[in-house]
Amino acid sequence: MGALFRRRLVVRHHRTAEELTAVARRVLREKFRAAGMGVTGVNVASAESGTLVVVENEGNGRMALTLPRIHVALMGIEKLVARDDELAPMLEILPRSATGQTLTSYVSLVSGPRRPGEADGPDEVHVVLLDNGRSRVLADPAIREALYCLRCGACLNACPVYRKVGGHAYGYPYSGPIGAVLAPGLLGIAQVPDLPFASTLCGACRDVCPVRIDIPRLLLTWRARATALGSASASERLLVRAWQRLASSAALYRLLAPVARVGAAALARVPALTRLAPPLAAWKRARRLPAPAPASFHERWRARQRSDGSHAA
Ligand code: SF4
């Protein structure tokens, strides 16, 4: 980081976090001060008074909306609440679910350009309301609850898939569980048919969401729509049908489960075998296939019942 700062900002080499922070602060403040226009997002806004609320911990938002002569605020239409007294509950929920804070370090309420006699603020404030597919989501009763989202990020932190693959894997600015249900609504499911399948449906996202969006239900809705569009390949459909047949027959399941276990154990133990199985080969390039447990759940269950029975006798 010290080398990057020295190269890009033409400053002497600094090593400690404190020194680097001081440099960033000095250089960036000057940039904010010299900018003709500051652009920010909006966390929530009131239609009653036109007040825009921006919450953050870094202070860059406040500088962008106070130092330049023009402030442009970009907000999705779902960020609008009807009345001023609805802002306070939002401010209570958002920081707690986002960063675990009672309140963020900076909370800015903007209700227009600087007035005569005021020391800070821009001469002009422009608000850009973005639709970009949101009206379409609102018009769809099966998925409109996705628009309740405050972008707190709690569902991302709780999601075991997101925690493993990270945000870039979703290929869209809104990532994680809420991204997987919002992106199909904003872009159309035909554009992102795989996204709703990027989930284990464990329900951790729904449990942690402060506005109780039923994300697993929305994921299933999108999966059904993607499947109806024919997004699954022929081999995938064949596999699912085979699994359906197997899982709905106890006798068949009992017959084939030990065979599958031997096969999975061989794949786990002999890495060369995966080269013979093309879908597994790509998957296994960056992962280790776990070996199955030595005894299945059914076998352990039966053994336990036998031992409970012999103790009781
Ligand atoms: S869906 Fe819920 S938990 Fe996830 S970002 Fe939106 S408000 Fe937060």
Side-chain angles (χ1 to χ4, degrees):
M1 187 62 85
L4 182 71
F5 271 37
R6 192 186 60 215
R7 214 169 47 246
R8 300 301 298 262
L9 305 178
V10 198
V11 292
R12 74 179 173 81
H13 195 98
H14 294 282
R15 290 186 192 283
T16 67
E18 288 75 14
E19 287 172 340
L20 290 166
T21 310
V23 172
R25 203 178 160 94
R26 179 167 47 75
V27 172
L28 289 174
R29 286 206 165 191
E30 192 46 43
K31 289 199 183 297
F32 278 111
R33 213 184 57 74
M37 181 194 287
V39 181
T40 70
V42 176
N43 294 97
V44 53
S46 161
E48 183 182 356
S49 60
T51 302
L52 313 173
V53 181
V54 179
V55 299
E56 40 146 0
N57 281 312
E58 300 79 12
N60 54 331
R62 179 164 293 180
M63 277 192 270
L65 59 84
T66 51
L67 294 178
R69 204 181 65 73
I70 301 172
H71 171 211
V72 175
L74 300 172
M75 58 179 279
I77 53 173
E78 81 280 23
K79 299 282 178 189
L80 210 55
V81 296
R83 298 186 316 270
D84 287 355
D85 60 9
E86 290 174 60
L87 297 177
M90 300 297 239
L91 283 174
E92 221 170 278
I93 300 169
L94 184 56
R96 280 167 207 228
S97 297
T99 49
Q101 293 169 289
T102 310
L103 208 56
T104 49
S105 306
Y106 299 91
V107 177
S108 306
L109 283 82
V110 180
S111 51
R114 174 162 46 103
R115 296 186 187 92
E118 286 181 344
D120 304 308
D123 296 335
E124 297 174 26
V125 175
H126 301 271
V127 182
V128 181
L129 288 157
L130 298 170
D131 187 304
N132 286 353
R134 288 164 174 83
S135 298
R136 216 172 33 242
V137 176
L138 186 65
D140 187 337
I143 56 160
R144 68 164 59 126
E145 72 175 289
L147 292 176
Y148 298 165
C149 178
L150 312 168
R151 310 282 186 276
C152 71
C155 59
L156 280 64
N157 295 330
C159 175
V161 175
Y162 175 87
R163 289 207 308 255
K164 278 278 175 226
V165 302
H168 287 290
Y170 291 80
Y172 188 67
Y174 298 133
S175 58
I178 188 63
V181 295
L182 207 46
L186 299 179
L187 302 175
I189 186 65
Q191 297 292 317
V192 283
D194 295 334
L195 268 190
F197 293 89
S199 167
T200 61
L201 294 180
C202 68
C205 48
R206 180 185 46 210
D207 294 347
V208 83
C209 176
V211 287
R212 294 287 175 261
I213 299 174
D214 192 349
I215 297 176
R217 184 189 66 74
L218 297 175
L219 286 167
L220 288 174
T221 303
W222 281 124
R223 285 182 188 191
R225 291 181 183 183
T227 307
L229 277 183
S231 68
S233 64
S235 56
E236 197 178 333
R237 282 202 298 274
L238 194 70
L239 265 174
V240 171
R241 249 186 243 128
W243 171 250
Q244 186 187 24
R245 176 84 187 84
L246 185 68
S248 51
S249 160
L252 200 59
Y253 187 90
R254 268 198 291 271
L255 187 73
L256 292 181
V259 180
R261 207 162 71 230
V262 171
L267 282 175
R269 259 187 242 114
V270 189
L273 274 182
T274 53
R275 282 188 220 119
L276 301 174
L280 281 179
W283 190 83
K284 207 170 175 247
R285 256 201 302 275
R287 299 173 185 85
R288 183 176 298 170
L289 193 68
S296 71
F297 173 77
H298 285 166
E299 287 163 351
R300 289 170 61 192
W301 182 254
R302 274 197 298 273
R304 186 171 162 171
Q305 280 185 320
R306 271 198 301 275
S307 103
D308 285 354
S310 65
H311 283 141

